């Protein structure tokens, strides 16, 4: 563990933070701050003089004002589930005053639920699963859903514009947000908690902070959109003969009832093999192993929507057309959860199965089969014995084009090839008109790709926005934007 004890000159600063936030608001002991200094994937280890835990917007503002005065960098942190090292402080602080992690974990209140306007106003530290639960308790739905929902927080989800499993129906986190409260890098506060679906009053500043990954300010609260609760669901796991068949099945469901598809997820045979080998109790409820699988989840807010009938009808037609070879329909909530578990445990299974390189890429939906085939072939050619593990949000054209290490390689040797692997996959993605980061963001991992992919006027405009809002460069340095 690195030495995280405060340098002598930080002692007066820490005293000021303690005076602002009280004893619960400042973590300083190495063991207490250690979990905040490493990312979920274990790729990055940082250091910080302290972890600040403000409990209100006023406290966040006071912390930021103090940091700005002393040139201290701030690394905003929610659930610390970033896949790209976005919430991890630098190993050596670039800011003159050092750096602090600012955790939103104590700002976890639900300020208001309004079932007339179908909105929920919550603080940034509210965990997503709790937001879903509160919405359900009010007979509504907050539809954002992803594997990290038990840990990820609203502020982090908005700051990465998280996608997840339901984007195909409800959009990304951005589309689920109506208003924001944000503390700017000088400590001033934008009070933008408006709940207006229509609000064209100049630059839509709220959208600037969504996907900004903590580089422009700190989101302290948000107005989220609610939807009618699902009254009927139907879920199936299907074995399909090819990537093209998976896409054809997606189109079949969309043509049958566009509004019914809540999620459409692709999994490979290799990925499902890793899940069943490493996750206790994970069993594929089909006759025989397959090379390709899809999970189809239908939902409707209307009772008597006939989703079971729809599911069976579409699958029957797809079986006849040879697009599906086997399918299991969930007969109970437990079976539905078991099918979803096979999908959601992919990240954990990959972690347990050794080193992996992640490529969170997107292409037009029609190009997904070609992406999977060509990128898998490119990876195998680059590293013989490596195992492509493509999975994810096929309905959005977002595939996690991940690569598991060859079984006889060391993790270190494999990870040393990370950038070659990402380059090989990205070459295919570029050719197909896609993006090198679909939903996880840039963080620290992908800053060096920005110039190539977003260079010229686009990157230049981003830099000018950053300089205008954060002239001292204290907000999450080293993330999102490459060094000038
Ligand atoms: P953190 O990791 O703490 O932070 C993420 C970024 O946001 C950092 O740059 C941080 O500085 C910044 N930030 C955090 N809070 C604030 C704030 N209040 N104000 C300003 N900046 C802030 N992502 C998807 O899009 N789809 C998925 O399906 C998905 N599945 C996942 C599954 C697993 C198992 C894991 C570990 C991660 C997954 N992720 C997924 C990645 C991750 O982006 C999301 O979990 C989530 O968006 C991060 O939320 P968090 O609270 O953990 O944020
Ligand atoms: C998911 O869809 C997440 O499960 C994580 O975005 C993807 O582990 C990954 O690469
Ligand atoms: Zn994902």
């Amino acid at each position: 563990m690195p030495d995280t004890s405060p340098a002598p000159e930080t002692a007066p600063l820490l005293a000021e933070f303690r005076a602002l936030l009280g004893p619960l608001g400042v973590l300083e002991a190495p063991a207490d701050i250690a979990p905040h200094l490493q990312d979920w994937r274990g790729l990055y280890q940082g250091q910080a003089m302290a972890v600040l835990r403000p409990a209100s917007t006023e406290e966040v503002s006071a912390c930021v004002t103090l940091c700005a005065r002393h040139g201290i960098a701030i690394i905003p942190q929610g659930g610390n589930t970033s896949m790209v090292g976005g919430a991890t402080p630098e190993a050596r602080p670039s800011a003159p005053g050092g750096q602090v992690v600012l955790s939103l974990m104590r700002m976890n209140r639900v300020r208001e639920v309004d079932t007339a306007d179908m909105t929920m106003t919550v603080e940034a530290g509210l965990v997503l699963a709790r937001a879903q639960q509160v919405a359900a308790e009010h007979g509504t739905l907050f539809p954002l859903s992803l594997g990290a929902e038990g840990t990820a927080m609203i502020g982090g989800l908005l700051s990465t514009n998280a996608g997840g499993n339901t984007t195909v129906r409800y959009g990304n986190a951005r589309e689920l947000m109506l208003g924001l409260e944000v503390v700017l890098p000088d400590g001033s506060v934008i009070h933008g908690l408006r709940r207006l679906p229509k609000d064209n009053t100049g630059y839509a500043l709220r959208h600037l902070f969504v996907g900004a990954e903590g580089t422009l300010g700190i989101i302290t609260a948000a107005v989220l959109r609610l939807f009618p609760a699902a009254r009927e669901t139907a879920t199936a796991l299907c074995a399909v003969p090819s990537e093209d068949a998976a896409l054809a099945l997606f189109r079949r469901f969309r043509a049958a009832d566009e509004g019914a598809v809540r999620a459409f997820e692709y999994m490979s045979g290799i990925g499902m093999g890793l899940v069943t080998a490493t996750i206790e109790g994970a069993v594929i409820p089909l006759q025989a192993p397959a090379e390709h699988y899809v999970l189809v989840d239908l939902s409707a807010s209307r009772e008597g929507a006939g989703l079971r009938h729809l599911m069976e009808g579409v699958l029957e037609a797809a079986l006849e057309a040879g697009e599906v070879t086997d399918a299991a329909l969930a007969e109970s909530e437990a079976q539905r959860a078991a099918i979803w578990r096979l999908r959601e445990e992919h990240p954990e299974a990959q972690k347990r199965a050794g080193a992996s390189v992640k490529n969170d890429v997107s292409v037009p939906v029609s190009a997904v089969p070609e992406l999977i085939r060509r990128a898998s072939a490119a990876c195998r050619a680059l590293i013989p014995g490596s195992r492509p593990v493509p999975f994810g949000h096929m309905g959005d054209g977002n595939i996690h084009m991940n690569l598991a290490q060859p079984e006889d390689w060391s993790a270190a040797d494999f990870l040393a090839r990370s950038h070659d692997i990402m380059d090989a996959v990205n070459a295919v993605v570029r050719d197909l008109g896609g993006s090198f980061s679909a939903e996880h963001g840039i963080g620290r991992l992908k800053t060096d790709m920005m110039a190539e992919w977003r260079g010229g006027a686009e990157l230049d405009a981003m830099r000018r926005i950053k300089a205008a809002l954060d002239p001292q460069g204290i907000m999450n340095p080293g993330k999102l934007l490459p060094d000038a």
Side-chain angles (χ1 to χ4, degrees), residues 280-358:
E280 205 183 323
V283 179
I284 302 172
L286 298 174
Q287 300 289 332
E291 272 184 53
H292 311 275
Y293 298 88
V294 295
L295 187 165
V296 192
D297 202 30
L298 309 179
S299 77
S301 57
R302 188 166 63 84
E303 258 169 67
L307 293 184
R308 175 80 188 198
H309 182 70
L310 175 73
M311 179 74 91
E312 286 175 352
V314 172
L315 289 181
E316 235 169 73
L319 272 161
E320 264 172 42
E323 288 162 7
V324 168
T325 52
D326 193 6
L329 269 65
E331 301 290 347
S332 62
E333 201 42 50
Q335 286 184 5
R336 182 168 187 252
I339 288 176
W340 263 109
R341 192 161 173 246
L342 291 165
R343 159 63 185 90
E344 291 298 65
E345 292 289 4
H346 268 63
E348 182 61 31
Q350 276 216 274
K351 211 176 180 185
R352 292 184 188 178
S356 73
V357 172
K358 292 184 187 294

Side-chain angles (χ1 to χ4, degrees), residues 40 76-83 86-87 104 124 146-148 152-153 155-157 159-160 162-164 213-214 217-219 347 393 439-440 476:
W40 186 87
Q77 198 175 85
N80 197 16
T81 64
S82 169
M83 287 278 178
L104 279 298
L146 42 85
M153 298 174 186
L157 293 153
S159 296
T160 56
E213 302 183 38
I218 301 175
I219 296 173
H393 321 295
E439 59 173 8
H440 296 163
N476 214 1

Side-chain angles (χ1 to χ4, degrees), residues 51 112 149 164 180 189 214 216 235 252 258 338 379 404 451 465-466:
V51 174
E112 191 181 2
E149 63 197 23
L180 278 192
V189 183
L216 298 179
T235 307
R252 229 176 238 286
E258 196 201 2
C379 289
I465 291 168
K466 169 78 174 169

